[in-house]
Amino acid sequence: MSRKVIPFVVAFVLICLVMVVAGVFAFSGSVAAEKFGSSTAWSQPYSTAESMKVIDLTGDGQDELFIQNTSNVSVLDGSGTPLWQFDYSSPKTTLGDVNGDGVEDIVVYYVGSGMSVDVISKGNVTPLASALDIGFPSRVAVMRFSSGPQIVLGDNLGGVLALSTSGAPLWSSEVGSAEIRGMDDVRINGQVNVAVASNDGTVKVFASDGKTVWTVNQEQLRRMRAFDLDADGNSEVITGGEYGLFRIYSAANGQVLFEKKLGQAVSEVREVELDGDPSSREIVVGGKDGGVWAFSFNGTTASQMWSGSLSDKVTEIAGLDINEDGKEEAVIGDDSGKVAVFTENGTRNNLPDHSSGITRVDIGKLGGERYVVIADYNEVTTNKVNFSSIPGFQFTPLVVGLIVSAFILIIAAILASIPPKPEMKLSLQDKSRESLEAERRMLKESIADVERLRKSGEMTNDAYLARLKRLRGDLADNESAFKTAGYQIKVETFSCPHCGGTLELGMDKCEYCGQVVLS
Protein backbone atom coordinates (compact mmCIF):
# COMPACT_ATOMS: atom_id res chain seq x y z
CA MET A 1 0.00 0.00 0.00
CA SER A 2 1.29 3.47 -0.90
CA ARG A 3 2.73 5.48 1.96
CA LYS A 4 0.46 8.37 0.90
CA VAL A 5 -2.65 6.21 1.27
CA ILE A 6 -1.86 4.72 4.70
CA PRO A 7 -2.48 7.96 6.73
CA PHE A 8 -5.93 8.31 5.14
CA VAL A 9 -6.85 4.69 5.91
CA VAL A 10 -5.86 5.16 9.56
CA ALA A 11 -7.76 8.49 9.61
CA PHE A 12 -10.90 6.80 8.26
CA VAL A 13 -10.81 4.17 11.01
CA LEU A 14 -10.33 6.83 13.71
CA ILE A 15 -13.14 8.98 12.31
CA CYS A 16 -15.51 6.01 12.39
CA LEU A 17 -14.66 5.37 16.05
CA VAL A 18 -15.06 9.06 16.97
CA MET A 19 -18.46 9.34 15.28
CA VAL A 20 -19.74 6.10 16.83
CA VAL A 21 -18.82 7.37 20.31
CA ALA A 22 -20.36 10.78 19.53
CA GLY A 23 -23.56 9.08 18.37
CA VAL A 24 -23.78 7.01 21.56
CA PHE A 25 -23.43 10.12 23.73
CA ALA A 26 -25.88 12.13 21.62
CA PHE A 27 -28.71 9.61 21.37
CA SER A 28 -28.35 8.09 24.84
CA GLY A 29 -29.04 11.54 26.29
CA SER A 30 -26.14 11.24 28.72
CA VAL A 31 -24.85 14.72 27.83
CA ALA A 32 -28.18 16.44 27.29
CA ALA A 33 -28.46 19.81 28.96
CA GLU A 34 -31.14 18.55 31.32
CA LYS A 35 -30.02 19.33 34.83
CA PHE A 36 -31.64 18.85 38.22
CA GLY A 37 -30.80 20.97 41.23
CA SER A 38 -32.28 21.66 44.64
CA SER A 39 -32.54 24.29 47.33
CA THR A 40 -33.29 23.67 51.02
CA ALA A 41 -36.58 25.08 52.35
CA TRP A 42 -36.13 24.07 56.00
CA SER A 43 -34.39 21.50 58.15
CA GLN A 44 -34.83 20.05 61.63
CA PRO A 45 -32.43 18.01 63.78
CA TYR A 46 -33.43 14.35 63.87
CA SER A 47 -31.09 11.44 64.46
CA THR A 48 -31.04 8.33 62.22
CA ALA A 49 -34.61 8.14 60.95
CA GLU A 50 -35.80 4.57 60.34
CA SER A 51 -39.19 5.45 58.87
CA MET A 52 -40.55 8.62 57.23
CA LYS A 53 -43.65 9.54 55.25
CA VAL A 54 -45.34 12.68 53.90
CA ILE A 55 -49.03 12.07 54.66
CA ASP A 56 -52.13 13.70 56.18
CA LEU A 57 -52.27 12.61 59.82
CA THR A 58 -54.58 15.35 61.16
CA GLY A 59 -57.49 15.13 58.73
CA ASP A 60 -57.22 18.78 57.66
CA GLY A 61 -56.42 17.98 54.02
CA GLN A 62 -52.82 19.13 54.42
CA ASP A 63 -49.95 16.67 54.57
CA GLU A 64 -47.63 16.44 57.54
CA LEU A 65 -44.25 14.74 57.92
CA PHE A 66 -44.20 11.55 59.97
CA ILE A 67 -40.76 10.43 61.14
CA GLN A 68 -39.52 7.70 63.52
CA ASN A 69 -36.16 6.49 64.84
CA THR A 70 -35.07 3.95 67.47
CA SER A 71 -36.43 5.98 70.40
CA ASN A 72 -38.94 8.51 69.09
CA VAL A 73 -42.06 9.02 66.97
CA SER A 74 -42.70 12.58 65.73
CA VAL A 75 -45.00 14.49 63.38
CA LEU A 76 -43.97 17.86 61.88
CA ASP A 77 -46.20 20.35 60.07
CA GLY A 78 -45.50 21.77 56.60
CA SER A 79 -43.04 24.34 57.95
CA GLY A 80 -41.08 21.86 60.09
CA THR A 81 -42.66 22.72 63.43
CA PRO A 82 -43.26 19.64 65.65
CA LEU A 83 -46.97 18.94 66.15
CA TRP A 84 -46.44 16.03 68.53
CA GLN A 85 -43.69 13.64 69.52
CA PHE A 86 -43.54 10.57 71.74
CA ASP A 87 -40.63 8.56 73.07
CA TYR A 88 -40.64 4.76 72.79
CA SER A 89 -38.21 1.92 73.38
CA SER A 90 -37.12 0.28 70.09
CA PRO A 91 -40.29 1.12 68.15
CA LYS A 92 -41.32 -0.16 64.72
CA THR A 93 -44.14 1.73 63.03
CA THR A 94 -46.63 1.64 60.20
CA LEU A 95 -49.44 3.89 58.98
CA GLY A 96 -53.07 2.89 58.46
CA ASP A 97 -56.62 3.82 59.42
CA VAL A 98 -57.20 1.60 62.43
CA ASN A 99 -60.25 3.32 64.00
CA GLY A 100 -62.15 3.85 60.73
CA ASP A 101 -62.35 7.67 60.85
CA GLY A 102 -60.83 8.08 57.38
CA VAL A 103 -57.55 9.51 58.70
CA GLU A 104 -54.30 7.56 58.77
CA ASP A 105 -53.16 6.48 62.23
CA ILE A 106 -49.66 5.60 63.48
CA VAL A 107 -49.32 2.04 64.78
CA VAL A 108 -46.34 1.59 67.14
CA TYR A 109 -44.98 -1.88 68.01
CA TYR A 110 -42.48 -1.41 70.84
CA VAL A 111 -40.88 -2.76 74.02
CA GLY A 112 -43.12 -1.69 76.91
CA SER A 113 -44.93 -3.95 79.31
CA GLY A 114 -43.55 -6.87 77.39
CA MET A 115 -44.12 -6.43 73.66
CA SER A 116 -46.79 -3.77 73.20
CA VAL A 117 -48.77 -1.93 70.52
CA ASP A 118 -50.08 1.66 70.63
CA VAL A 119 -52.21 3.56 68.13
CA ILE A 120 -51.61 7.32 67.72
CA SER A 121 -54.63 9.01 66.13
CA LYS A 122 -54.48 12.77 65.46
CA GLY A 123 -51.90 13.10 68.23
CA ASN A 124 -53.81 11.03 70.80
CA VAL A 125 -52.15 7.84 72.06
CA THR A 126 -54.29 4.73 72.70
CA PRO A 127 -52.62 1.59 74.13
CA LEU A 128 -53.90 -1.33 72.05
CA ALA A 129 -52.16 -4.42 73.47
CA SER A 130 -49.36 -5.39 75.85
CA ALA A 131 -47.52 -8.48 77.10
CA LEU A 132 -47.89 -10.03 73.66
CA ASP A 133 -46.59 -13.50 72.89
CA ILE A 134 -44.06 -12.36 70.30
CA GLY A 135 -40.41 -11.30 70.27
CA PHE A 136 -38.41 -8.08 69.79
CA PRO A 137 -39.99 -5.67 67.25
CA SER A 138 -38.88 -5.99 63.63
CA ARG A 139 -41.86 -5.21 61.33
CA VAL A 140 -45.48 -4.12 61.61
CA ALA A 141 -48.16 -3.58 58.95
CA VAL A 142 -51.88 -2.83 58.75
CA MET A 143 -53.53 -5.35 56.38
CA ARG A 144 -56.95 -4.61 54.93
CA PHE A 145 -58.24 -8.13 54.41
CA SER A 146 -61.71 -8.65 52.95
CA SER A 147 -62.75 -10.00 56.36
CA GLY A 148 -61.57 -6.80 58.07
CA PRO A 149 -58.35 -4.95 58.93
CA GLN A 150 -55.64 -6.63 60.98
CA ILE A 151 -52.38 -5.46 62.51
CA VAL A 152 -49.63 -7.96 61.67
CA LEU A 153 -46.43 -7.98 63.75
CA GLY A 154 -43.08 -9.59 62.89
CA ASP A 155 -40.25 -10.13 65.38
CA ASN A 156 -36.48 -10.65 65.27
CA LEU A 157 -36.70 -14.48 65.34
CA GLY A 158 -39.22 -15.11 62.55
CA GLY A 159 -42.36 -14.93 64.68
CA VAL A 160 -45.56 -13.48 63.21
CA LEU A 161 -48.65 -12.40 65.21
CA ALA A 162 -51.89 -10.88 63.86
CA LEU A 163 -54.10 -8.65 66.03
CA SER A 164 -57.59 -7.28 65.52
CA THR A 165 -58.06 -3.50 65.56
CA SER A 166 -59.07 -3.88 69.21
CA GLY A 167 -55.79 -5.62 70.06
CA ALA A 168 -57.03 -9.21 70.34
CA PRO A 169 -54.65 -11.90 68.99
CA LEU A 170 -56.10 -13.60 65.90
CA TRP A 171 -53.42 -15.99 64.60
CA SER A 172 -49.69 -16.58 64.76
CA SER A 173 -47.06 -18.38 62.71
CA GLU A 174 -43.34 -18.71 62.03
CA VAL A 175 -41.40 -17.53 58.96
CA GLY A 176 -37.99 -19.12 59.21
CA SER A 177 -35.94 -18.52 62.33
CA ALA A 178 -34.33 -15.11 61.71
CA GLU A 179 -35.35 -11.45 61.74
CA ILE A 180 -38.41 -10.52 59.67
CA ARG A 181 -36.99 -8.29 56.88
CA GLY A 182 -40.10 -7.72 54.78
CA MET A 183 -43.88 -7.50 55.23
CA ASP A 184 -46.29 -6.29 52.55
CA ASP A 185 -49.83 -6.84 51.31
CA VAL A 186 -50.22 -8.92 48.15
CA ARG A 187 -53.28 -9.45 45.98
CA ILE A 188 -54.27 -12.87 44.69
CA ASN A 189 -57.25 -12.75 42.34
CA GLY A 190 -57.95 -9.30 43.73
CA GLN A 191 -58.05 -10.46 47.37
CA VAL A 192 -55.58 -9.10 49.95
CA ASN A 193 -53.10 -11.51 51.53
CA VAL A 194 -49.88 -10.79 53.41
CA ALA A 195 -46.34 -11.68 52.30
CA VAL A 196 -43.68 -12.02 55.01
CA ALA A 197 -39.96 -12.63 54.49
CA SER A 198 -37.25 -13.63 56.95
CA ASN A 199 -33.55 -12.82 56.83
CA ASP A 200 -32.77 -16.55 56.46
CA GLY A 201 -34.42 -16.55 53.00
CA THR A 202 -37.87 -17.89 53.88
CA VAL A 203 -40.78 -16.18 52.07
CA LYS A 204 -44.40 -17.00 53.00
CA VAL A 205 -47.77 -15.71 51.88
CA PHE A 206 -50.61 -15.94 54.43
CA ALA A 207 -54.36 -15.65 53.96
CA SER A 208 -56.45 -13.56 56.37
CA ASP A 209 -56.96 -16.57 58.66
CA GLY A 210 -53.22 -17.23 58.96
CA LYS A 211 -53.17 -20.24 56.63
CA THR A 212 -50.09 -20.50 54.43
CA VAL A 213 -50.85 -19.95 50.73
CA TRP A 214 -47.30 -20.84 49.64
CA THR A 215 -43.75 -20.73 50.90
CA VAL A 216 -40.31 -20.68 49.23
CA ASN A 217 -36.74 -20.65 50.47
CA GLN A 218 -33.92 -18.77 48.78
CA GLU A 219 -30.55 -17.27 49.71
CA GLN A 220 -30.37 -14.97 52.75
CA LEU A 221 -32.74 -12.09 52.16
CA ARG A 222 -32.26 -8.36 52.78
CA ARG A 223 -35.32 -6.77 51.13
CA MET A 224 -38.82 -7.79 50.05
CA ARG A 225 -41.46 -5.65 48.34
CA ALA A 226 -44.79 -6.49 46.68
CA PHE A 227 -46.46 -4.64 43.80
CA ASP A 228 -49.11 -5.55 41.24
CA LEU A 229 -46.75 -4.73 38.39
CA ASP A 230 -49.07 -5.66 35.53
CA ALA A 231 -52.44 -4.66 37.13
CA ASP A 232 -53.93 -8.14 36.60
CA GLY A 233 -55.20 -8.55 40.16
CA ASN A 234 -52.21 -10.69 41.17
CA SER A 235 -49.24 -9.04 42.83
CA GLU A 236 -45.58 -9.80 42.24
CA VAL A 237 -43.26 -10.39 45.20
CA ILE A 238 -39.80 -8.89 44.68
CA THR A 239 -36.83 -9.99 46.79
CA GLY A 240 -33.20 -8.92 47.07
CA GLY A 241 -30.65 -11.34 48.47
CA GLU A 242 -27.54 -11.09 50.63
CA TYR A 243 -25.41 -12.40 47.74
CA GLY A 244 -26.98 -10.38 44.93
CA LEU A 245 -29.94 -12.56 43.90
CA PHE A 246 -32.78 -10.39 42.54
CA ARG A 247 -36.03 -12.30 42.06
CA ILE A 248 -39.64 -11.68 41.08
CA TYR A 249 -42.22 -14.24 42.25
CA SER A 250 -45.87 -14.59 41.28
CA ALA A 251 -47.95 -13.89 44.40
CA ALA A 252 -50.54 -16.38 43.16
CA ASN A 253 -48.36 -19.49 43.44
CA GLY A 254 -44.75 -18.54 44.25
CA GLN A 255 -43.52 -19.24 40.71
CA VAL A 256 -40.25 -17.49 39.84
CA LEU A 257 -41.00 -15.04 37.00
CA PHE A 258 -37.53 -13.51 36.76
CA GLU A 259 -34.17 -13.71 38.47
CA LYS A 260 -30.76 -12.15 38.01
CA LYS A 261 -27.48 -12.14 39.93
CA LEU A 262 -26.41 -8.54 40.53
CA GLY A 263 -22.96 -9.20 42.01
CA GLN A 264 -23.56 -7.44 45.33
CA ALA A 265 -26.01 -7.60 48.21
CA VAL A 266 -29.35 -5.92 47.43
CA SER A 267 -29.96 -3.11 49.92
CA GLU A 268 -33.16 -1.52 48.51
CA VAL A 269 -35.95 -2.17 45.98
CA ARG A 270 -38.62 0.31 44.87
CA GLU A 271 -41.16 0.77 42.09
CA VAL A 272 -40.54 3.95 40.03
CA GLU A 273 -42.59 4.78 36.91
CA LEU A 274 -39.59 5.71 34.77
CA ASP A 275 -41.02 5.57 31.23
CA GLY A 276 -44.55 6.90 31.90
CA ASP A 277 -46.08 3.88 30.13
CA PRO A 278 -48.75 2.26 32.31
CA SER A 279 -48.56 -1.00 30.32
CA SER A 280 -45.19 -1.77 31.93
CA ARG A 281 -43.84 -1.06 35.38
CA GLU A 282 -40.28 -0.25 36.36
CA ILE A 283 -38.30 -1.43 39.39
CA VAL A 284 -35.16 0.32 40.66
CA VAL A 285 -32.76 -1.81 42.70
CA GLY A 286 -29.91 -0.54 44.88
CA GLY A 287 -26.87 -2.50 46.03
CA LYS A 288 -24.70 -2.60 49.14
CA ASP A 289 -21.65 -1.51 47.09
CA GLY A 290 -23.48 1.40 45.41
CA GLY A 291 -24.79 -0.35 42.30
CA VAL A 292 -28.09 0.84 40.82
CA TRP A 293 -30.18 -1.09 38.27
CA ALA A 294 -33.50 -0.34 36.57
CA PHE A 295 -35.73 -3.15 35.27
CA SER A 296 -38.92 -3.00 33.21
CA PHE A 297 -41.61 -5.64 33.83
CA ASN A 298 -44.20 -6.36 31.14
CA GLY A 299 -46.31 -8.88 33.01
CA THR A 300 -44.36 -12.04 32.21
CA THR A 301 -40.70 -11.17 32.57
CA ALA A 302 -38.33 -8.31 33.37
CA SER A 303 -35.59 -6.75 31.25
CA GLN A 304 -32.76 -4.49 32.38
CA MET A 305 -33.11 -0.87 31.24
CA TRP A 306 -29.85 0.57 32.57
CA SER A 307 -27.36 0.40 35.41
CA GLY A 308 -25.46 3.08 37.33
CA SER A 309 -23.68 3.58 40.62
CA LEU A 310 -23.32 5.71 43.73
CA SER A 311 -20.40 6.02 46.13
CA ASP A 312 -21.65 3.74 48.90
CA LYS A 313 -24.49 1.46 49.96
CA VAL A 314 -27.83 2.54 48.47
CA THR A 315 -30.05 3.28 51.47
CA GLU A 316 -33.19 4.74 49.91
CA ILE A 317 -34.99 5.09 46.56
CA ALA A 318 -38.03 7.25 45.76
CA GLY A 319 -39.83 8.31 42.57
CA LEU A 320 -40.71 11.90 41.62
CA ASP A 321 -41.92 13.45 38.36
CA ILE A 322 -39.70 16.51 38.69
CA ASN A 323 -40.08 17.96 35.18
CA GLU A 324 -43.80 17.03 34.97
CA ASP A 325 -43.46 15.03 31.73
CA GLY A 326 -45.43 12.03 32.99
CA LYS A 327 -42.27 10.10 33.82
CA GLU A 328 -40.84 9.72 37.30
CA GLU A 329 -37.20 10.22 38.13
CA ALA A 330 -35.51 8.00 40.72
CA VAL A 331 -34.16 9.98 43.69
CA ILE A 332 -31.52 7.78 45.34
CA GLY A 333 -29.45 8.29 48.49
CA ASP A 334 -26.44 6.37 49.77
CA ASP A 335 -24.62 5.78 53.04
CA SER A 336 -21.94 8.39 52.30
CA GLY A 337 -24.46 11.26 52.04
CA LYS A 338 -24.69 11.37 48.23
CA VAL A 339 -28.08 12.07 46.66
CA ALA A 340 -28.62 11.65 42.90
CA VAL A 341 -31.48 11.86 40.42
CA PHE A 342 -31.55 9.15 37.74
CA THR A 343 -33.72 9.68 34.66
CA GLU A 344 -35.48 7.18 32.39
CA ASN A 345 -32.29 6.41 30.42
CA GLY A 346 -30.02 6.24 33.46
CA THR A 347 -28.55 9.74 33.24
CA ARG A 348 -27.32 10.78 36.70
CA ASN A 349 -27.66 14.29 38.16
CA ASN A 350 -26.19 14.97 41.59
CA LEU A 351 -28.04 16.93 44.25
CA PRO A 352 -26.13 18.61 47.12
CA ASP A 353 -24.23 16.19 49.37
CA HIS A 354 -25.15 15.61 53.00
CA SER A 355 -22.62 15.48 55.82
CA SER A 356 -23.78 12.00 56.88
CA GLY A 357 -25.39 8.94 55.35
CA ILE A 358 -28.91 9.12 53.92
CA THR A 359 -31.45 7.05 55.88
CA ARG A 360 -34.79 7.92 54.25
CA VAL A 361 -36.16 9.79 51.22
CA ASP A 362 -39.81 10.66 50.55
CA ILE A 363 -41.69 13.00 48.26
CA GLY A 364 -44.86 15.01 48.78
CA LYS A 365 -46.49 18.39 49.43
CA LEU A 366 -45.76 20.26 52.63
CA GLY A 367 -47.23 23.70 53.14
CA GLY A 368 -48.52 23.68 49.57
CA GLU A 369 -45.06 23.08 48.04
CA ARG A 370 -43.84 19.80 46.61
CA TYR A 371 -40.60 18.71 48.24
CA VAL A 372 -38.09 15.91 48.28
CA VAL A 373 -37.68 15.21 51.98
CA ILE A 374 -34.31 13.71 52.90
CA ALA A 375 -33.32 12.34 56.31
CA ASP A 376 -29.70 11.60 57.17
CA TYR A 377 -28.04 10.52 60.41
CA ASN A 378 -28.30 14.04 61.86
CA GLU A 379 -31.29 15.93 60.44
CA VAL A 380 -34.28 15.98 58.13
CA THR A 381 -34.38 18.55 55.29
CA THR A 382 -37.01 19.55 52.75
CA ASN A 383 -35.61 20.23 49.31
CA LYS A 384 -37.22 22.04 46.39
CA VAL A 385 -35.93 20.19 43.33
CA ASN A 386 -35.76 22.13 40.07
CA PHE A 387 -35.26 21.16 36.44
CA SER A 388 -33.60 23.05 33.58
CA SER A 389 -33.12 22.13 29.93
CA ILE A 390 -31.39 23.64 26.88
CA PRO A 391 -33.16 22.41 23.70
CA GLY A 392 -30.92 21.06 20.94
CA PHE A 393 -27.93 20.58 23.19
CA GLN A 394 -28.37 16.84 22.75
CA PHE A 395 -26.58 16.89 19.39
CA THR A 396 -23.48 18.72 20.59
CA PRO A 397 -21.47 15.45 20.71
CA LEU A 398 -22.07 15.01 16.95
CA VAL A 399 -20.76 18.52 16.27
CA VAL A 400 -17.70 17.83 18.42
CA GLY A 401 -17.23 14.53 16.59
CA LEU A 402 -17.25 16.28 13.21
CA ILE A 403 -14.69 18.84 14.40
CA VAL A 404 -12.38 16.11 15.72
CA SER A 405 -12.81 14.20 12.42
CA ALA A 406 -11.79 17.31 10.45
CA PHE A 407 -8.60 17.62 12.53
CA ILE A 408 -7.84 13.94 11.93
CA LEU A 409 -8.16 14.46 8.16
CA ILE A 410 -5.87 17.52 8.27
CA ILE A 411 -3.21 15.57 10.17
CA ALA A 412 -3.52 12.67 7.70
CA ALA A 413 -3.03 15.07 4.76
CA ILE A 414 0.07 16.58 6.39
CA LEU A 415 1.57 13.14 7.00
CA ALA A 416 0.85 12.05 3.43
CA SER A 417 2.54 15.18 2.02
CA ILE A 418 5.82 14.66 3.88
CA PRO A 419 8.44 13.54 1.30
CA PRO A 420 10.04 10.13 1.84
CA LYS A 421 13.20 9.97 3.84
CA PRO A 422 16.24 10.01 1.52
CA GLU A 423 17.75 6.59 0.99
CA MET A 424 20.91 6.08 2.96
CA LYS A 425 23.93 5.81 0.68
CA LEU A 426 27.48 4.82 1.48
CA SER A 427 29.78 7.81 1.39
CA LEU A 428 32.87 6.85 -0.66
CA GLN A 429 34.49 10.25 -0.82
CA ASP A 430 37.98 10.94 0.56
CA LYS A 431 38.64 7.33 1.52
CA SER A 432 42.00 5.57 1.84
CA ARG A 433 42.80 2.69 -0.49
CA GLU A 434 42.39 0.20 2.38
CA SER A 435 38.99 1.65 3.26
CA LEU A 436 37.79 1.54 -0.36
CA GLU A 437 38.95 -2.05 -0.73
CA ALA A 438 37.15 -3.03 2.48
CA GLU A 439 33.95 -1.40 1.23
CA ARG A 440 34.38 -3.17 -2.13
CA ARG A 441 34.62 -6.54 -0.39
CA MET A 442 31.55 -5.77 1.68
CA LEU A 443 29.51 -4.86 -1.43
CA LYS A 444 30.59 -8.05 -3.24
CA GLU A 445 29.63 -10.12 -0.20
CA SER A 446 26.22 -8.41 -0.12
CA ILE A 447 25.72 -9.14 -3.84
CA ALA A 448 26.63 -12.80 -3.21
CA ASP A 449 24.10 -12.95 -0.34
CA VAL A 450 21.35 -11.55 -2.56
CA GLU A 451 22.15 -14.12 -5.27
CA ARG A 452 21.99 -16.90 -2.69
CA LEU A 453 18.63 -15.72 -1.35
CA ARG A 454 17.14 -15.59 -4.84
CA LYS A 455 18.36 -19.09 -5.73
CA SER A 456 16.98 -20.51 -2.48
CA GLY A 457 13.58 -18.90 -3.11
CA GLU A 458 13.77 -16.70 -0.01
CA MET A 459 13.57 -13.46 -2.04
CA THR A 460 11.09 -12.50 -4.75
CA ASN A 461 12.32 -11.46 -8.18
CA ASP A 462 11.17 -7.87 -7.72
CA ALA A 463 12.93 -7.53 -4.38
CA TYR A 464 16.02 -9.25 -5.81
CA LEU A 465 16.25 -6.84 -8.77
CA ALA A 466 15.68 -3.76 -6.61
CA ARG A 467 18.30 -4.78 -4.09
CA LEU A 468 20.78 -5.89 -6.74
CA LYS A 469 20.41 -2.63 -8.63
CA ARG A 470 21.16 -0.64 -5.46
CA LEU A 471 24.21 -2.77 -4.56
CA ARG A 472 25.65 -2.59 -8.07
CA GLY A 473 25.15 1.15 -8.06
CA ASP A 474 27.10 1.34 -4.82
CA LEU A 475 29.80 -0.85 -6.44
CA ALA A 476 29.99 1.54 -9.41
CA ASP A 477 30.36 4.46 -6.98
CA ASN A 478 33.15 2.56 -5.27
CA GLU A 479 34.97 2.15 -8.60
CA SER A 480 34.54 5.89 -9.31
CA ALA A 481 36.02 6.66 -5.91
CA PHE A 482 39.03 4.46 -6.76
CA LYS A 483 39.54 6.41 -9.99
CA THR A 484 39.10 9.78 -8.27
CA ALA A 485 41.71 8.83 -5.68
CA GLY A 486 44.12 7.80 -8.44
CA TYR A 487 44.14 4.12 -7.56
CA GLN A 488 44.24 1.45 -10.26
CA ILE A 489 41.25 -0.94 -10.34
CA LYS A 490 39.70 -3.26 -12.83
CA VAL A 491 36.21 -1.97 -13.70
CA GLU A 492 33.64 -4.74 -13.08
CA THR A 493 30.36 -2.89 -13.82
CA PHE A 494 28.91 -0.77 -16.58
CA SER A 495 25.62 1.00 -17.31
CA CYS A 496 22.93 -0.40 -19.64
CA PRO A 497 22.70 1.93 -22.64
CA HIS A 498 18.92 1.37 -22.79
CA CYS A 499 17.69 1.80 -19.18
CA GLY A 500 20.76 2.95 -17.26
CA GLY A 501 20.80 -0.06 -14.96
CA THR A 502 24.16 -1.07 -13.48
CA LEU A 503 25.34 -4.44 -14.84
CA GLU A 504 28.31 -6.72 -14.22
CA LEU A 505 31.06 -6.57 -16.79
CA GLY A 506 30.63 -9.34 -19.38
CA MET A 507 26.81 -9.47 -19.34
CA ASP A 508 25.20 -9.44 -22.78
CA LYS A 509 21.56 -8.97 -21.65
CA CYS A 510 20.18 -6.36 -19.26
CA GLU A 511 18.36 -7.89 -16.27
CA TYR A 512 16.20 -4.77 -15.89
CA CYS A 513 14.94 -3.96 -19.37
CA GLY A 514 15.71 -7.27 -21.13
CA GLN A 515 17.60 -5.60 -23.98
CA VAL A 516 20.72 -7.16 -25.54
CA VAL A 517 23.86 -5.17 -24.76
CA LEU A 518 27.50 -5.42 -25.72
CA SER A 519 29.89 -4.89 -22.83
Side-chain angles (χ1 to χ4, degrees):
M1 185 180 295
S2 170
R3 60 174 300 279
K4 292 184 177 292
V5 176
I6 292 174
F8 288 102
V9 172
V10 174
F12 175 77
V13 173
L14 292 175
I15 288 170
C16 289
L17 292 174
V18 167
M19 294 309 297
V20 166
V21 173
V24 168
F25 276 99
F27 295 106
S28 69
S30 58
V31 294
E34 297 181 346
K35 300 300 178 185
F36 297 88
S38 71
S39 56
T40 299
W42 54 261
S43 64
Q44 285 286 359
Y46 200 86
S47 175
T48 318
E50 287 188 342
S51 183
M52 185 175 72
K53 184 69 176 176
V54 177
I55 192 169
D56 182 8
L57 294 171
T58 61
D60 64 353
Q62 299 293 317
D63 286 345
E64 289 78 40
L65 179 65
F66 158 76
I67 190 165
Q68 168 251 312
N69 63 15
T70 57
S71 59
N72 175 266
V73 175
S74 294
V75 174
L76 312 180
D77 68 12
S79 63
T81 301
L83 293 179
W84 63 79
Q85 49 189 342
F86 304 98
D87 291 334
Y88 284 96
S89 175
S90 304
K92 297 296 179 183
T93 58
T94 191
L95 302 174
D97 183 7
V98 176
N99 57 19
D101 64 355
V103 179
E104 296 292 290
D105 304 313
I106 304 169
V107 180
V108 188
Y109 167 27
Y110 64 101
V111 180
S113 298
M115 300 303 139
S116 304
V117 175
D118 284 359
V119 174
I120 303 173
S121 179
K122 299 178 183 178
N124 299 311
V125 179
T126 302
L128 193 70
S130 61
L132 294 169
D133 185 18
I134 193 170
F136 196 82
S138 179
R139 288 288 189 280
V140 56
V142 175
M143 296 294 155
R144 301 206 163 275
F145 297 113
S146 58
S147 58
Q150 298 180 18
I151 298 170
V152 183
L153 313 176
D155 68 18
N156 65 327
L157 294 175
V160 178
L161 174 65
L163 307 177
S164 70
T165 55
S166 62
L170 298 175
W171 55 268
S172 63
S173 187
E174 299 290 331
V175 180
S177 58
E179 178 187 9
I180 299 298
R181 298 301 297 268
M183 183 180 291
D184 214 340
D185 63 304
V186 295
R187 292 186 178 271
I188 301 175
N189 297 322
Q191 298 298 309
V192 174
N193 295 259
V194 59
V196 185
S198 170
N199 182 234
D200 65 9
T202 305
V203 181
K204 282 189 179 182
V205 172
F206 296 98
S208 60
D209 58 0
K211 292 182 179 178
T212 300
V213 178
W214 56 262
T215 182
V216 297
N217 292 282
Q218 61 164 67
E219 73 177 32
Q220 282 183 277
L221 184 144
R222 294 176 65 92
R223 284 290 180 270
M224 186 211 73
R225 307 286 184 194
F227 310 103
D228 186 359
L229 294 172
D230 51 359
D232 65 347
N234 290 312
S235 297
E236 284 72 40
V237 177
I238 303 167
T239 64
E242 185 71 42
Y243 305 104
L245 178 63
F246 170 65
R247 264 187 183 169
I248 301 177
Y249 296 94
S250 167
N253 53 24
Q255 177 187 356
V256 176
L257 302 177
F258 177 81
E259 69 174 69
K260 185 178 178 67
K261 281 283 191 178
L262 299 180
Q264 57 186 268
V266 175
S267 58
E268 189 56 279
V269 177
R270 295 287 186 185
E271 181 189 24
V272 180
E273 185 51 62
L274 290 169
D275 64 3
D277 181 1
S279 65
S280 65
R281 308 298 284 273
E282 291 74 58
I283 308 155
V284 179
V285 183
K288 186 178 180 181
D289 296 331
V292 180
W293 299 264
F295 296 90
S296 177
F297 187 82
N298 62 8
T300 57
T301 188
S303 58
Q304 185 171 321
M305 299 173 64
W306 49 261
S307 63
S309 65
L310 271 77
S311 302
D312 208 331
K313 180 178 77 172
V314 173
T315 52
E316 187 65 303
I317 302 170
L320 170 64
D321 185 2
I322 298 173
N323 53 5
E324 298 182 348
D325 62 352
K327 304 174 183 179
E328 289 185 338
E329 287 72 41
V331 183
I332 305 178
D334 75 7
D335 208 28
S336 71
K338 300 285 185 184
V339 183
V341 177
F342 287 83
T343 62
E344 175 193 4
N345 56 22
T347 301
R348 172 179 169 174
N349 291 269
N350 294 326
L351 298 184
D353 292 349
H354 286 239
S355 59
S356 61
I358 307 302
T359 60
R360 286 293 176 264
V361 176
D362 197 31
I363 292 155
K365 281 191 174 182
L366 291 170
E369 289 286 344
R370 188 166 189 173
Y371 293 115
V372 174
V373 186
I374 301 173
D376 59 30
Y377 289 120
N378 301 316
E379 63 181 0
V380 56
T381 62
T382 56
N383 300 268
K384 183 68 175 176
V385 178
N386 53 70
F387 168 79
S388 60
S389 176
I390 303 176
F393 189 78
Q394 172 186 356
F395 301 104
T396 298
L398 294 178
V399 175
V400 173
L402 290 173
I403 294 172
V404 172
S405 298
F407 274 111
I408 292 173
L409 283 174
I410 292 171
I411 293 171
I414 293 172
L415 292 175
S417 66
I418 296 174
K421 185 178 179 180
E423 184 179 332
M424 184 177 291
K425 299 282 289 183
L426 289 171
S427 176
L428 302 174
Q429 303 297 323
D430 300 325
K431 299 282 188 175
S432 66
R433 183 180 184 90
E434 291 77 11
S435 176
L436 290 171
E437 287 176 346
E439 289 168 343
R440 185 178 184 81
R441 284 193 301 272
M442 181 188 70
L443 290 169
K444 287 184 176 182
E445 289 171 359
S446 297
I447 291 171
D449 288 341
V450 171
E451 292 286 357
R452 180 182 56 77
L453 291 172
R454 185 192 65 163
K455 289 177 181 178
S456 65
E458 298 179 48
M459 179 178 284
T460 64
N461 286 336
D462 289 343
Y464 162 74
L465 292 175
R467 179 65 176 155
L468 191 61
K469 183 176 180 179
R470 189 159 52 247
L471 289 172
R472 287 179 177 171
D474 292 341
L475 187 57
D477 291 341
N478 178 271
E479 292 171 355
S480 298
F482 263 99
K483 292 178 181 179
T484 302
Y487 307 132
Q488 294 296 319
I489 185 175
K490 182 179 178 181
V491 177
E492 297 181 357
T493 61
F494 70 100
S495 297
C496 174
H498 302 287
C499 67
T502 304
L503 305 175
E504 289 184 1
L505 195 65
M507 294 185 65
D508 58 3
K509 186 176 182 179
C510 178
E511 293 180 326
Y512 305 105
C513 65
Q515 297 292 326
V516 176
V517 296
L518 297 176
S519 58

